[in-house]
Amino acid sequence: MLQAGTSFLLTAGGYGCRQVLQNLNQGQFSLNISKTLADQIQKQGHLKVATEDDCPPFEFLLNGKPSGFDHELLARLREAVPFEIQQDIVPWQRILPGVKQGQYDVALSAVGIADDRAKFLDFTMPIAESTIAYIKRKDDSSIQGVKSLSGKTLGVQQGGVSMAAISDLEARLQQQGGKLGPIKQYQGFAQAYQDLINKKLDAVLHNIVSLSVLVDEKPAIFELGEQVSRKLYAAWAVKKGNRELLDLLNQFLQQQWEQGTLKKLQQDWFKMTFDNLPQEPLLPGDRRISS
């Protein structure tokens, strides 16, 4: 998977870093990479990123091949940097612990920006909105809004922001005189959707992008319901304190936004665009992350 510009990783000593910096100064690459970061990447031989295997339209496998919004951005990132990027496609539950433990440099995924995650991760500028809503069976007339989710059996992703959104939903239900019903956790959403069809669940909670695409593809089966959480954003993430890598990723995403690429990919994959995304990562409810 080596590409043009990665030869500096195979060069011993400090020459490789000097060479990549020289290449950058000569305009062969459009991103600025610090010598410290170049040294780090040279030492380990590549940048290692993790993507999910079951979160369409962001990341998923199609006939065994990686596809989706983040995969297209990754392909562009590979073209923009002078080093190899090694990709692992793994279940969601392995990605954030892997970044925290140093197994991966980047969670190149639709990581929901959340309070608990901000304790051990730093986030890029958002790549999409990721507010949580619910989806129900088209023929289920018993659910007509958030209030009617009271007592219903709900499916969420284990370790995902859909699970984290349960507290928001519970508070809303209590305000309306309702109560939270049984919660079933799934490793991925494919099984949750199947259980919804088979009436083992009453609704599934997921981000509005993924649910909107699913309803667009299967309008006779599913119906999109209301939002159940505060406004959330999705971003890429690095281990907390890895500021130079974070700066590099933000440079790349900012360029994609300014060139119109990010908006085009949103339209292609999400069938919607987010024209007013914040330029910094924000916690649920548009709260700033304290330093």
Side-chain angles (χ1 to χ4, degrees):
M1 292 168 57
L2 286 173
Q3 58 193 31
T6 61
S7 60
F8 82 101
L9 293 170
L10 308 178
T11 308
Y15 172 76
C17 293
R18 291 197 301 271
Q19 184 63 51
V20 69
L21 292 172
Q22 180 181 350
N23 288 346
L24 289 166
N25 291 334
Q26 291 174 348
Q28 295 186 27
F29 302 96
S30 59
L31 302 174
N32 294 319
I33 177 172
S34 70
K35 183 180 183 303
T36 301
L37 181 58
D39 283 339
Q40 293 172 354
I41 296 173
Q42 183 197 26
K43 185 177 180 179
Q44 73 178 25
H46 52 256
L47 187 74
K48 192 164 187 177
V49 306
T51 58
E52 194 174 346
D53 59 355
D54 182 26
C55 188
F58 291 96
E59 305 137 60
F60 58 101
L61 297 178
L62 182 63
N63 298 323
K65 296 182 179 180
S67 187
F69 174 83
D70 283 312
H71 289 293
E72 286 212 34
L73 277 178
L74 174 57
R76 286 167 169 78
L77 179 61
R78 282 187 163 123
E79 295 174 353
V81 296
F83 48 75
E84 180 187 2
I85 298 179
Q86 180 176 316
Q87 177 188 15
D88 276 7
I89 302 175
V90 297
W92 164 254
Q93 290 76 16
R94 291 172 50 187
I95 294 179
L96 300 190
V99 173
K100 181 179 181 180
Q101 296 162 11
Q103 183 180 359
Y104 307 117
D105 298 302
V106 185
L108 205 151
S109 183
V111 182
I113 303 171
D115 293 76
D116 58 335
R117 296 172 180 176
K119 297 175 182 177
F120 64 94
L121 296 172
D122 282 328
F123 302 94
T124 64
M125 59 184 290
I127 57 174
E129 189 179 326
S130 189
T131 305
I132 302 300
Y134 71 85
I135 196 172
K136 71 182 188 74
R137 292 184 301 278
K138 181 80 171 182
D139 61 358
D140 185 358
S141 60
S142 71
I143 299 178
Q144 298 295 332
V146 171
K147 185 176 182 179
S148 53
L149 292 178
S150 177
K152 299 291 189 180
T153 302
L154 307 178
V156 299
Q157 186 182 43
Q158 180 184 18
V161 289
S162 57
M163 181 62 197
I166 288 296
S167 59
D168 279 3
L169 174 59
E170 184 173 24
R172 288 185 62 181
L173 288 174
Q174 289 176 349
Q175 289 174 356
Q176 298 172 354
K179 64 178 182 179
L180 193 65
I183 305 298
K184 294 186 66 174
Q185 298 186 50
Y186 294 82
Q187 181 171 316
F189 281 98
Q191 185 58 52
Y193 296 146
Q194 190 60 50
D195 280 358
L196 178 59
I197 292 173
N198 294 335
K199 300 185 178 181
K200 295 179 180 180
L201 295 174
D202 297 303
V204 174
L205 308 187
H206 200 1
N207 71 74
I208 57 172
V209 172
S210 296
L211 293 185
S212 295
V213 171
L214 179 63
V215 170
D216 184 66
E217 292 176 348
K218 301 181 183 298
I221 299 175
F222 299 114
E223 184 175 308
L224 182 61
E226 298 175 13
Q227 297 178 4
V228 302
S229 75
R230 291 168 288 177
K231 183 178 286 188
L232 300 174
Y233 299 102
W236 295 348
V238 302
K239 187 174 182 179
K240 197 166 189 68
N242 196 348
R243 300 299 305 181
E244 292 184 330
L245 177 55
L246 186 69
D247 290 344
L248 178 66
L249 296 173
N250 275 325
Q251 283 183 62
F252 168 74
L253 291 174
Q254 184 63 42
Q255 285 186 3
Q256 299 306 300
W257 182 257
E258 292 173 354
Q259 295 167 3
T261 304
L262 203 58
K263 184 173 182 178
K264 181 180 184 303
L265 290 178
Q266 288 175 352
Q267 183 61 52
D268 290 347
W269 287 104
F270 306 162
K271 310 307 177 186
M272 65 177 72
T273 60
F274 299 103
D275 298 331
N276 297 310
L277 287 175
Q279 296 299 297
E280 64 174 315
L282 295 176
L283 293 169
D286 285 332
R287 293 175 293 122
R288 300 191 71 177
I289 300 175
S290 58
S291 56

